[in-house]
Amino acid sequence: MEKNEIVRLVKERSGTDARKCMKCGKCSGRCPAYHDMDIKPHQFVSYIEKGEIDKLMQSKSLYTCLSCFACVERCPRGVAPANVIEAVRQEVIRQQGGNKIMAETVPSMIDETIPQQLLVSMFRKLNK
Amino acid sequence: MKFSYYPGCTLKTKAKELDLYGRKSLEKLGVDFEEVKEWQCCGAVYPVSRDEVATKLSAVRTLASAKQENAKLLTLCSACHHVLKRVNDDMKNDDNIRLKANNYLGLDEPYQGETEVVHYLELLRDYVGFDKIKEAVVNPLKGQKIAAYYGCLLLRPSETLKFDNPENPSIIEEFIKAIGATPVKYPFSNECCGAYVSATNKEIAVKKSTKVTDSAVANGAEKIVTACPLCMYNLTENGNKKVPVYYFTELLAEALGVKE
Amino acid sequence: MQKIGVFVCWCGSNIAATVDVKKVAEVLKAEPGVVISENYQYMCSENGQALIRNAIKEHGLTGVVVCSCSPRMHEATFRKTCESAGLNPYMVEIANIREQCSWIHKDIEEATEKAIILGRSAIAKLKLNAPLTSGESAVVKRALVIGGGIAGIQSALDIAEAGFEVDIVEQSPTIGGNMAKLDKTFPTLDCAACILTPKMVDCAQNEKIDIMTFSEIESVKGFVGNFKVQIRRKARFVDEKKCTGCGECMQKCPSKKGLNDFNMGLNTRPAIYIPFAQAIPNVAIIDPEQCLKIKNGKCGLCAMKCNVNAIDYTQKDEIIEREYGAIVVATGYKPISLENFNEYGYSSYKDVVTSLELERLMNAAGPSDGHLVRPSDHKEPKVITFIQCVGSRDTSGCGKPYCSKICCMYTAKHAMLIREKYPDTEVHVFYIDVRTPGKNYDEFFRRAVEQYGVDYIKGMVGKVYEENGKLMVQGSDLINNEQVVIPSDLVVLAAAIEPNPSVRNIATMVTASIDTNNFLTEAHAKLRPVESPTAGIFLSGVCQGPKDIPETVSQASACAAKVIGLLAKDKLKCNACVSHSDEMLCTGCSVCANVCPYGAITYVDKEFRLGGGKTEVRRVATVNDAVCQGCGACTVACPSGAMDLKGFSNKQIMAEVDAICKR
């Protein structure tokens, strides 16, 4: 797929308008996973608007974002940085060989305490 | 008023007794409820991408089934609640998702978000009333200092969930008071525990959960109470291990005298 | 036979670039009744107007259609032009081919066709026009100023200075408004009280000014030059004429736990109180919710102590009625409620304060006598963090979409004053943008950074929480691409400002329009900024839009100039386009009188001949031409079609519509 088309799709799937961002950085000021991210929430919004999808698709933040929606909750402009991160992650995972976890590895993770909820959500987030 | 009860996968299997405590408490409080027939997993995470429809279908089936029973959908787990409420919102407000989901499911009557999704805690606050619970309590947890832990999924995004004030929630504190204990205020009750990332990156979960549990302990908490099995797991396994974490139904059952 | 002249304006390229003006003139020339059709570059220019005047004389025109900009812009101009050439001004029709045509279309062919249709429609209406003359009404030479903050004070002083009487109606117990609460003012750092209180005293001493505090507008009737206003003088339980402001009663009052509004609730006051030392009027007031005597009949100490017998526990609200020629709305602002911003901890932590609360904490007359201490433990804060744009520029629904305009400057002021007075205090400011347009404003802000070493951090705060007795301010530092946490002793929130909530009610009473943010709308954003679209209503200060003190004072004086211009006239020309009732159709049902916002319609019993020598007496509506503003509400409401508006009759409107639909 052509790069611009990926950018368009990611924007569409995110359902958020990056142009509304006023670059205040509140999302990144609130983010609990900030220190585990190479590209920060506000940068996801900025880069997607600039069309720099390659950078985003290689970011480790895709797997450290906790999906806690704090950035979405607090944005003064109604932008949803977490939705952009999610849409980029979806794009990565949907590509051929993009699965980050295989069904076969799940059984080995099961122990006495781990709740199904954790396994299902992990699998849903990392496998298409 | 009738409630279709949706226990969710974790509470139905791994944490059976928490579901049981929930049911017994409902019976004690005189709530008319029945488990959703042939319920399916909600999907565990809300599919954020606007083009994801198939992953929302199981939630829609549950919602439609509650509609058929002419009942409100009562959820016990925060994640189930989050997914069901948000998918319901999509079915109400997103023409594209509503159309496609209905095309897939081919229900007798298209589902358009008619069902009201109610969390167990909302039921306690809005339908039973904390005053009533206070009256029904036989073993007040007197003198216990308990910290409420909300996490993320109950509160955010508040625009859709409309559960409580997203930055200064109070429903679990009210619950703690109703069962006779003393709520402990600390600043991280709505901060993430590490969520599903703990499966692949334990280090992050340890950081997040430790921050929460440390703060709760520093503010004098002897127990933490939560409404999400995943939060409970993370805070217990990845937290500072200095404070026990309980599911709210257990404390409720104990106070109501229905815990075996 | 009518002789109509059509004049098509290019408006430079504004119209001519999108509309083929020559073609429009040509096509309209062929319309029946049109004897001359011209086009010209600027019809409103002296030459353009001469063109119209000459044509009227040369061709003996009976009516004129000008195809140009909106009638709001130049209808008055062209009416005057025609009048000077001997034509009745109401025989002029404007076809708006700029705002409603050239500006909104791109395709020349389409726009030209539409311009022709609009021209035809105007011609069709003109054919049914009749010459109208307007009556006159007297002007009441007294102005009402609603709101006694700096805006209202300045407007009132200027109007009084010109020799006209003016009443200030203020809802709180003293004039002075928000400015009276401020410590110092930017950009010169003079003390607010030092520059405001002399003006307050001037108001009190000026014979032309009548101050009514603790009073509210109850109703407004009438129209420009002739407003009738009812004012509710709320019971203050103290006789204003007798009280000397000695303050003895305050000392003796045993009920001392009321929150001191003037100090933003940071300390308490007795049930009987004078809001602050320089209050005008310097008269006590009793809070009935708190007064033991009023609440349960036990006490009465203040009455016993009062040497002049000013206390009256039985005082009741009183409603007075006055007449005014002009009304100035100067209702001001308040900071927004911060209930939607719990991430900053305002409701959880005592040491998170708003900027207006900080003003009181720094003010020598404030709760800590000007010694800056934190509210929780009265200790001096060593690290202070400011957060800007709290609720401003917020389109999420939690705050206000606009920039509150004053916060960047007052935050710089606070930061600077603190560093000046307490040099060992660390000051941080989180900002999104620093906006300092204004004379000496950016220089002022830079001084805070360069001379006083205030730490400005570009980024917003995500969360404020308490840890080990410190307020931890967690936010973005976008320049360094870091998430920072600043342990602070005091956090100051620059809360957005919003119009005082009373303005909604007042806007309804004076029929002034209001925007989605509750700011009053001006008649023209650039050219008529201090007038409301409703004649005789003027706007002063923040009720029209966020502004600082220098701007407010400028606008207040501009507003006064407009009021003086109005009050200087002895007579006002009334609107000629008034409504009238066809007595043969009128059934006297009262619907029109009920919808009339100006009270212009009354009923009379009239005798009508039925034929055969018989008569009957019927109740019919009559319109007071001097009061009717031509809004047309009655014509729409009238069930029998008896009400019609001169200059905009039903027939004329239908003729316009027909001309548009006819191809």
Side-chain angles (χ1 to χ4, degrees), chain C residues 93 253 311 413 471 506 534:
Chain C
E93 284 299 327
C253 177
I311 315 286
K413 173 191 77 174
L471 291 166
I506 286 167
T534 308

Side-chain angles (χ1 to χ4, degrees), chain A residues 20 22-35 38-40 42-43 72-79, chain C residues 340-344 392-396 398 401 431-433 458-463 474-476 478 481-483:
Chain A
K20 287 187 179 162
M22 64 168 166
K23 304 187 193 298
C24 72
K26 189 164 181 175
C27 48
S28 291
R30 180 70 170 87
C31 179
Y34 184 94
H35 297 292
D38 51 354
I39 295 181
K40 314 299 184 189
H42 71 281
Q43 292 176 300
V72 181
E73 184 64 44
R74 279 296 140 223
C75 176
R77 307 297 292 184
V79 182
Chain C
N340 290 335
F341 297 94
N342 281 301
E343 68 268 34
Y344 302 129
S392 295
R393 308 169 66 193
D394 184 316
T395 51
S396 72
C398 291
Y431 72 98
I432 305 174
D433 300 292
K458 181 169 171 54
M460 255 322 233
V461 168
K463 188 176 174 101
Q474 175 190 314
S476 268
L478 294 172
N481 205 20
E482 281 171 6
Q483 189 185 71

Side-chain angles (χ1 to χ4, degrees), chain A:
Chain A
M1 216 181 331
E2 207 220 332
K3 189 175 142 186
N4 288 347
E5 179 61 8
I6 299 180
V7 173
R8 191 191 66 77
L9 274 175
V10 166
K11 281 187 185 175
E12 194 179 285
R13 288 177 194 148
S14 77
T16 196
D17 183 357
R19 287 188 191 174
K20 287 187 179 162
C21 171
M22 64 168 166
K23 304 187 193 298
C24 72
K26 189 164 181 175
C27 48
S28 291
R30 180 70 170 87
C31 179
Y34 184 94
H35 297 292
D36 298 303
M37 289 183 161
D38 51 354
I39 295 181
K40 314 299 184 189
H42 71 281
Q43 292 176 300
F44 266 83
V45 177
S46 168
Y47 280 138
I48 197 67
E49 191 49 37
K50 288 187 199 303
E52 303 218 22
I53 188 73
D54 296 343
K55 236 181 225 173
L56 296 181
M57 286 176 66
Q58 282 151 24
S59 168
K60 80 167 192 184
S61 306
L62 298 178
Y63 315 105
T64 51
C65 166
L66 304 167
S67 296
C68 76
F69 304 109
C71 54
V72 181
E73 184 64 44
R74 279 296 140 223
C75 176
R77 307 297 292 184
V79 182
N83 291 18
V84 178
I85 298 175
E86 180 68 26
V88 175
R89 173 169 44 209
Q90 280 292 327
E91 182 54 37
V92 172
I93 285 165
R94 287 182 199 182
Q95 287 190 353
Q96 194 164 24
N99 286 342
K100 291 286 169 285
I101 195 136
M102 294 301 156
E104 304 79 64
T105 56
V106 176
S108 69
M109 302 172 77
I110 298 174
D111 66 19
E112 277 304 301
T113 52
I114 201 161
Q116 278 89 334
Q117 184 192 348
L118 173 53
L119 297 171
V120 178
S121 51
M122 174 200 64
F123 196 69
R124 289 285 291 274
K125 286 275 186 183
L126 301 177
N127 190 304
K128 57 180 154 284

